[in-house]
């Protein structure tokens, strides 16, 4: 076991014989343990014809197994709460908070569905789950969802593993056979590609013992080849895309995406600071110039953020909404002007304000067990040490003005913009 001191309690990391990584932190303020199980499979691992399969499997994992046919109900009857899951480009994660006395049982159920889900996969299971995914697609869709998918498609070149959204293509998913889904599950739900994080008032040794007796019994088997690392910045010539249309009467919006180094690298801090300079809080450039200065944008707490993708490259992503009477083209011109202005340098105190906001946000996120566990699991895979989740926030303090100006020069000239006008305005997709 490896032990490191940390603000919320000592972090103990162990690697089981089958390759599973276990991270335990004894946090006396959390009587009921929070459990986070990360599998290193996301939409970037999908091949043509499989887009959306990682997210589809996330839903299928709740269907149950021969031993636990009512998986979710069994957990809830045992006192589990906040049972959830999510999939992004890099990983799939399953989370829950369980009574301390039910920790081992909940881990045994995780091991059971990881090992035996393929036995429960048939055409009926796939059809019923696909209907759930389609409803989710409708709820998350609309102009905003289509805009994000279009922006990714324009910002990343064909064949890039981040180009397609994790929601995927439900028409393609409807053509998959149970054996294809089961094969993807067996390939990617492996103990050596998983990280278990448990936070709570329970001894790290007890967590490790419970994990070893349950998830530690999963067999280790050969891993499929990892997808080739994408180009460092996933770069594609920047441009402007128009569409899809916003609802009639809604104000225009401008979205921007710019390529940056991947999350978890030492370089990422300067780009995160750049995002905060541009769009975090009332002192940001976009707020100062586009909202207060020229009155072309409506106030928002965060207009640009550092989207944290882990392999090859990440992105800055922003959304700015126009004021009444402001056209999308007028708003676009203002957003581009604000982004370009960083090359002239920063004003006194501008970087300090941005970094203070960003560091406070990072530390507050670590106070929440859900986001803390997510960060620990990510940094185990990225840096080999969960405690790096704390030092990553500290690294922002060393970012200089020159670092931010250099970061802007590297990513903003190639940014991709998407303009959405309300129904009745230009909707066709064109490149500037």
């Amino acid at each position: 076991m490896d032990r490191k001191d940390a603000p919320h309690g000592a972090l103990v990391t162990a690697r089981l014989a089958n390759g599973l990584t276990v991270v335990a932190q004894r946090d006396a303020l959390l009587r009921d343990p929070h459990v986070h199980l990360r599998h290193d499979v996301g939409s970037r691992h999908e091949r043509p014809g499989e887009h959306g399969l990682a997210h589809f499997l996330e839903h299928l994992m709740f269907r149950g197994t021969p031993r636990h046919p009512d998986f979710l109900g069994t957990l809830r009857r045992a006192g589990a709460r906040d049972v959830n899951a999510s999939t992004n480009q890099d990983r799939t994660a399953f989370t829950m908070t369980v009574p301390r006395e039910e920790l081992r049982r909940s881990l045994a159920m995780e091991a059971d569905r990881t090992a035996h889900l393929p036995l429960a996969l048939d055409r009926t299971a796939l059809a019923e789950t696909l209907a759930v995914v389609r409803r989710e697609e409708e709820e998350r869709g609309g102009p905003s969802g289509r805009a994000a998918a279009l922006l990714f498609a324009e910002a990343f070149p064909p064949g890039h593993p981040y180009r397609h959204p994790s929601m995927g293509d439900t028409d393609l998913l409807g053509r998959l056979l149970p054996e294809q889904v089961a094969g993807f599950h067996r390939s990617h739900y492996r103990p050596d590609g998983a990280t278990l994080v448990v936070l709570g008032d329970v001894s790290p040794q007890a967590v490790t013992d419970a994990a070893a007796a349950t998830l530690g019994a999963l067999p280790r088997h050969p891993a499929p080849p990892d997808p080739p690392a994408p180009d460092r910045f996933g770069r594609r010539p920047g441009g402007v895309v128009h569409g899809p249309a916003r609802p009639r009467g809604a104000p225009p919006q401008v979205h921007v995406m710019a390529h940056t180094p991947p999350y978890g690298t030492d370089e990422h801090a300067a780009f995160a600071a750049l995002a905060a300079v541009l769009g975090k809080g009332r002192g940001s450039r976009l707020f100062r110039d586009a909202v207060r200065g020229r009155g072309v944008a409506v106030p928002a707490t965060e207009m640009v953020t550092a989207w944290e993708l882990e392999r090859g490259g990440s992105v800055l992503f922003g959304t700015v909404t126009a004021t009444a009477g402001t056209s999308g083209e007028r708003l676009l011109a203002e957003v581009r002007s604000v982004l370009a202005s960083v090359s002239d340098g920063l004003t006194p105190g501008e970087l300090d304000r941005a970094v203070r906001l960003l560091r406070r946000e990072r530390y507050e996120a670590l106070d929440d067990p859900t986001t803390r566990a997510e960060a620990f699991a990510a940094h185990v895979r990225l840096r080999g040490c969960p405690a790096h989740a704390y030092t990553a926030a500290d690294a922002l303090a060393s970012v200089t003005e020159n670092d931010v100006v250099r970061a802007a020069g590297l990513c903003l000239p190639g940014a991709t913009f998407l303009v959405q006008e309300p129904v009745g305005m230009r909707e066709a997709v064109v490149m500037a």
Side-chain angles (χ1 to χ4, degrees), residues 84-413:
N84 210 340
S86 62
T87 302
N88 64 19
Q89 289 88 344
D90 298 304
R91 61 93 185 117
T92 300
F94 298 91
T95 60
M96 58 181 152
T97 300
V98 299
R100 186 167 43 193
E101 62 274 13
E102 296 290 344
L103 176 61
R104 183 176 293 231
R105 183 185 181 190
S106 67
L107 297 183
M109 291 180 64
E110 284 288 2
D112 178 62
R113 69 171 170 177
T114 300
H116 299 123
L117 176 72
L119 299 177
L121 296 180
D122 55 26
R123 291 182 182 273
T124 299
L126 266 57
E128 291 177 353
T129 304
L130 185 60
V132 174
V133 173
R134 283 191 166 127
R135 285 197 297 271
E136 183 179 338
E137 182 181 47
E138 291 172 2
E139 291 169 1
R140 293 188 182 181
S144 296
R146 294 195 299 273
L150 179 59
L151 193 53
F152 267 88
E154 291 296 337
F156 289 94
H160 195 283
Y162 286 153
R163 191 169 192 252
H164 60 276
S166 57
M167 185 69 72
D169 185 331
T170 51
D171 290 334
L172 284 177
L173 295 176
R175 294 196 286 270
L176 293 176
L177 300 174
E179 52 266 32
Q180 292 175 284
V181 179
F184 189 85
H185 177 273
R186 280 191 293 268
S187 294
H188 295 288
Y189 278 71
R190 309 180 329 273
D192 57 309
T195 302
L196 172 70
V197 180
V198 178
L199 315 176
D201 191 13
V202 58
S203 77
Q205 186 63 59
V207 170
T208 304
D209 290 346
T214 54
L215 291 159
L218 293 171
R220 188 169 189 165
H221 52 88
D226 200 49
D231 292 340
R232 185 155 180 71
F233 289 97
R235 193 174 293 281
R236 184 175 178 171
V240 180
V241 181
H242 290 268
R246 289 192 24 94
R248 188 177 302 277
Q253 285 186 329
V254 169
H255 310 270
V256 58
M257 182 176 287
H259 296 288
T260 74
Y263 175 63
T265 60
D266 292 336
E267 305 162 87
H268 184 78
F271 292 83
L274 170 63
V277 165
L278 289 170
K280 183 176 287 297
R282 299 174 67 87
S284 68
R285 290 233 171 165
L286 280 167
F287 200 104
R288 183 190 69 194
D289 295 347
V291 176
R292 284 202 307 257
R294 294 178 179 82
V296 297
V298 300
T301 302
E302 188 165 57
M303 297 182 186
V304 179
T305 188
W307 197 321
E308 297 174 342
L309 303 175
E310 297 176 4
R311 292 286 184 262
S314 191
V315 294
L316 298 189
F317 181 83
T319 297
V320 184
T321 303
T323 52
T326 300
S327 69
E329 292 299 329
R330 174 70 183 88
L331 182 63
L332 172 66
E334 180 61 25
V335 171
R336 297 182 87 164
S337 174
V338 172
L339 267 57
S341 70
V342 179
S343 63
D344 297 327
L346 306 183
T347 58
E350 191 173 20
L351 177 59
D352 179 64
R353 180 208 68 87
V355 167
R356 280 190 292 104
L357 283 177
L358 201 55
R359 292 182 73 195
R360 184 179 68 187
E361 180 183 83
R362 298 286 174 95
Y363 287 129
E364 287 177 350
L366 291 172
D367 280 337
D368 179 86
T370 302
T371 50
R372 192 196 323 164
E374 169 82 26
F376 286 170
H379 284 283
V380 163
R381 310 312 291 187
L382 295 172
R383 303 295 288 256
C385 178
H388 194 266
Y390 293 104
T391 58
D394 295 335
L396 290 162
S398 64
V399 174
T400 68
E401 178 179 341
N402 286 339
D403 293 334
V404 174
V405 173
R406 178 178 177 275
L410 286 172
C411 74
L412 296 181

